[in-house]
Amino acid sequence: MKVLGILGIIVILLFIFLIQRPGLKRSGKREKIAFFSIMMVNGVLAVLLVIFPEMPGPGQMIDFIYKPFKPFW
């Protein structure tokens, strides 16, 4: 079942790349590097969440960081 989840993530990432490819052809080198690096980080995080579903997600990390500031709101 996890293999299907990982394949689904790969298909979605490829679909996003194919949609964005015409715009990337016209963009500069920095934009391409930023796009691919963000896409790869998101892909790795998605695969890790499929393999280890009990792993805390990015939302829980943000809650952990901002929880001490809640009394000031």
Side-chain angles (χ1 to χ4, degrees), residues 56-69 73:
Q60 291 171 331
M61 182 183 72
I62 291 172
D63 286 342
F64 176 75
I65 291 171
Y66 288 111
K67 195 171 189 174
F69 299 110
W73 294 359

Side-chain angles (χ1 to χ4, degrees), residues 3-70:
V3 174
L4 291 176
I6 293 171
L7 288 175
I9 291 168
I10 292 171
V11 167
I12 290 171
L13 289 174
L14 286 173
F15 184 70
I16 292 170
F17 171 73
L18 291 175
I19 290 174
Q20 295 295 324
R21 188 172 60 171
L24 286 174
K25 285 183 180 178
R26 294 185 300 256
S27 64
K29 186 176 179 181
R30 284 184 179 177
E31 246 182 80
K32 290 177 186 175
I33 291 172
F35 176 77
F36 286 117
S37 62
I38 290 171
M39 204 163 143
M40 294 310 297
V41 167
N42 287 329
V44 168
L45 282 174
V47 168
L48 283 174
L49 284 173
V50 167
I51 295 173
F52 306 109
E54 67 279 350
M55 186 175 81
Q60 291 171 331
M61 182 183 72
I62 291 172
D63 286 342
F64 176 75
I65 291 171
Y66 288 111
K67 195 171 189 174
F69 299 110
K70 193 168 185 167

